[in-house]
Structures are given as structure tokens and as C-alpha cells.
Amino acid sequence: MAEVLKVLLPMLFRGLKTTIYIAVIGILLGFAIGALAGFGLRAKNKIARTIAEIYIWIIRATPLIVQALYIYYVTPKLIGIDLSSNAAGIIVITFNSGAFIAEIVRGALDSIDPGQREAGLSLGLSPAQTMWHVIIPQAFRSMLPSLFNQFIISVKDTALLSVIVVDEITHEIQNYASITYKTIEAYTIGAAFYLVIISVLIVIQKTVESHLKK
């Protein structure tokens, strides 16, 4: 086992860098798209609302692994631009997380007491100023735990990107297992590695939530 760890651990940490890189960029870009879609869901403009609803429906109604395969193998042929596996992975995580973040944003905005908007307007603020200075800060604070939870989900979702040859944690485990044929050791250590990483993220999430409550 010690010999397996000596070889596999460096591979896992190399895969972790790719996993975190894709998850962080994906969740940041996903938040931008999700915020637009979340506001779109509450928009009075029917076209904006319909676009947001269709986007969320497509993402939530298709498996992430299918999205990954489509983005990596089909999209380049449609647009004539080759995508690296990492770029395709970021796009997949971005649009996938964005659809779920849109619902988080909508829920957070809906949770704000309508009286807050009325209070802002009564103070002479414009509707846009009221939204930016009164509604959004409160909504963002309430959605932080859910956003962190979505980040954890995105970290785990990167495991599915091994299907498009992204060198994240799972792909590194598969590489080691295919070379050494030590399947039991490779996947057991890999599962334990994931357990530690996700547990650390959950502890950070709980700490953040505890701080927000105070």
C-alpha cells in the first residue's frame, strides 16, 4: 500500500489542481450566468423570462455527462473551433452550475421582504438604486450558503469530466489503475481522497454559515 501511495498521491494532487481550477472558474462564471438567469426569471419582460426558463430546463433535463460529451465532441464541429478538454470542462461546469444558481438567486430575491423595496423607494432611491443598495446585499448574504453548496457539488461533478479526458482526480485514478492493474487499491485510495477533500470543504462551509448567523 505504501508503494501505491508513493506513486498515486502525486497523481491525485495533480488532478486536484485541475479539479479546483475548473470548479472555481466554472462556479464564478456560472454565478454570472446564473445571476442573469435568476433576474430573468423575475423579469416582467416575457422574452427574457422565456430564455431563462428554456436555459434552465435544458440543463436540468439533461445529464451532466451528456452535456460534457456534446460540448467536447459536437460543439467544435458546429462552430469550427477546437476545444481543449479543460476549456470544455469549464464550459460544462459554467452552464450546469449557472442553471442551479439561477434558482438560488431567484429564491434569495423572493425571500426579501417587499417592505425593503418600499422603504428604499420612500427614501428617494430609484428602483435600480434600491435593488443595488438594499435588495441585492441582503439577497447575496442569504444565498452564500447555497452558493458554497453548489461549489461543492461542482467539485464532485468534475469527476464526470473524465469522460472527455480532463486530467482531474478521477482521470488520474483511472490512469493509475489501467497501468498497474491495482484497481482495488487505486479506487479505494481515490475514494478516500475525495472524502477528505469534500469533508474539508464541508467544514469550511459550516464555518462560513456559523459566521453569517452571528
Side-chain angles (χ1 to χ4, degrees), residues 104-174:
I104 293 173
V105 170
R106 177 172 67 170
L109 293 173
D110 289 343
S111 69
I112 304 300
D113 191 324
Q116 296 290 322
R117 182 175 182 278
E118 295 171 3
L121 295 175
S122 67
L123 290 173
L125 298 176
S126 67
Q129 290 174 324
T130 300
M131 177 61 71
W132 183 254
H133 295 290
V134 180
I135 306 300
I136 290 180
Q138 296 181 66
F140 184 74
R141 184 182 179 87
S142 68
M143 73 174 76
L144 268 179
S146 296
L147 289 175
F148 206 112
N149 189 59
Q150 182 59 47
F151 173 70
I152 293 175
I153 292 172
S154 294
V155 170
K156 291 191 292 183
D157 283 346
T158 58
L160 297 174
L161 299 179
S162 61
V163 73
I164 57 171
V165 206
V166 173
D167 287 326
E168 43 68 61
I169 298 171
T170 300
H171 192 249
E172 293 290 357
I173 297 170
Q174 292 172 334

Side-chain angles (χ1 to χ4, degrees), residues 26 28 32 38-39 45 56 62 105 120 123 132 139 141 184 189 199 214:
L28 291 176
F39 278 99
N45 186 297
I56 293 170
T62 55
V105 170
L123 290 173
W132 183 254
R141 184 182 179 87
I184 296 176
I189 293 173
S199 295
K214 292 179 181 179

